[in-house]
Amino acid sequence: ESGLDVNPTKMHGRVIPSFRWGCYVGCIFHPAYILRNMDLLKLFEQDLEKILPKVGCKLVDNRIETHWKGYKFVTGFGNIMLALDSLWQEDCVTFDFETNSLSPHIDDPKVYTISFSCRNSFVIPIDYGNYLTSIEKPAVKQRVKEFLASNVPKVIQNANFEAKWCYKYFKNPIGNLKEEKKESFGRCFCRIRY
């Protein structure tokens, strides 16, 4: 419809106007793809460095992991557990998994990170990097499992995807799912108007 070749290999690093959303769109590889193809990380960082200034943003401390759109990348077992404990105080939480596959029904399913949107939005590592020890990771997964099953209201973009991963990876359903936001991605990321 747009007349553009939307192949990410050709489009990455470009900024184009979205007349549908009334904003500019920066084309990058999906972060989950980069996590599965770490040899592209430098290219991903270069694309962000080109795109973000064009849409009125910048990298903080030149590190992608530090902050992005108000999200803090939380590290350290104690800090992760405190951040997860804070979720029970929220009126509503949106969450999103970054995984190693679209389907959890593979030999070695991994949830690299989970992002939580609330008053203090943050991202925690699960299977990404060496942030958690073999003793800490099960405790973090258990706390996430407890939160996902809790009565805290939750809103997610792709309920079917997240529900499959909850059943397979965390062995439980999502509790108190209020609604699925199919267009929330467009609303969240298109705030820079032209």
Side-chain angles (χ1 to χ4, degrees):
E1 293 177 24
S2 67
L4 293 173
D5 182 353
V6 292
N7 180 331
T9 306
K10 294 179 182 177
M11 292 297 294
H12 74 89
R14 295 184 187 181
V15 177
I16 57 174
S18 169
F19 297 104
R20 178 179 181 191
W21 295 103
C23 66
Y24 289 98
V25 177
C27 304
I28 60 172
F29 290 103
H30 193 281
Y33 180 75
I34 299 302
L35 290 173
R36 290 188 294 274
N37 298 279
M38 291 302 286
D39 55 315
L40 295 173
L41 180 61
K42 186 66 177 167
L43 180 63
F44 181 72
E45 290 174 341
Q46 290 169 349
D47 286 348
L48 286 176
E49 288 171 358
K50 284 192 282 187
I51 292 169
L52 292 178
K54 292 179 182 179
V55 296
C57 299
K58 64 180 180 176
L59 291 176
V60 177
D61 298 329
N62 290 327
R63 296 285 297 153
I64 295 169
E65 294 178 342
T66 308
H67 285 83
W68 188 80
K69 282 287 195 192
Y71 285 81
K72 180 179 182 190
F73 189 82
V74 180
T75 58
F77 178 69
N79 293 333
I80 291 170
M81 296 302 270
L82 285 172
L84 290 171
D85 286 346
S86 73
L87 295 174
W88 272 266
Q89 309 306 313
E90 298 291 339
D91 296 327
C92 188
V93 175
T94 300
F95 68 92
D96 182 46
F97 299 142
E98 295 302 334
T99 65
N100 67 333
S101 172
L102 292 176
S103 171
H105 305 290
I106 60 174
D107 290 337
D108 189 22
K110 294 185 185 317
V111 172
Y112 288 123
T113 62
I114 307 173
S115 58
F116 296 95
S117 297
C118 45
R119 285 178 288 187
N120 295 307
S121 299
F122 60 93
V123 177
I124 62 165
I126 302 281
D127 293 319
Y128 174 65
N130 296 315
Y131 293 100
L132 297 170
T133 68
S134 59
I135 295 170
E136 295 167 342
K137 188 185 295 186
V140 169
K141 284 177 68 174
Q142 179 61 35
R143 190 65 53 89
V144 170
K145 177 180 177 175
E146 291 165 2
F147 170 73
L148 294 174
S150 76
N151 286 327
V152 175
K154 299 165 196 76
V155 177
I156 52 180
Q157 182 179 356
N158 186 343
N160 189 40
F161 177 84
E162 310 299 347
K164 286 179 185 176
W165 277 89
C166 282
Y167 278 113
K168 177 71 175 181
Y169 192 83
F170 293 104
K171 311 288 191 243
N172 68 279
I174 302 168
N176 202 9
L177 179 61
K178 289 298 182 190
E179 62 181 300
E180 178 182 3
K181 290 285 188 187
K182 293 183 188 237
E183 295 181 354
S184 63
F185 181 82
R187 283 192 220 110
C188 292
F189 293 102
C190 291
R191 294 188 180 157
I192 309 299
R193 300 285 172 202
Y194 53 77

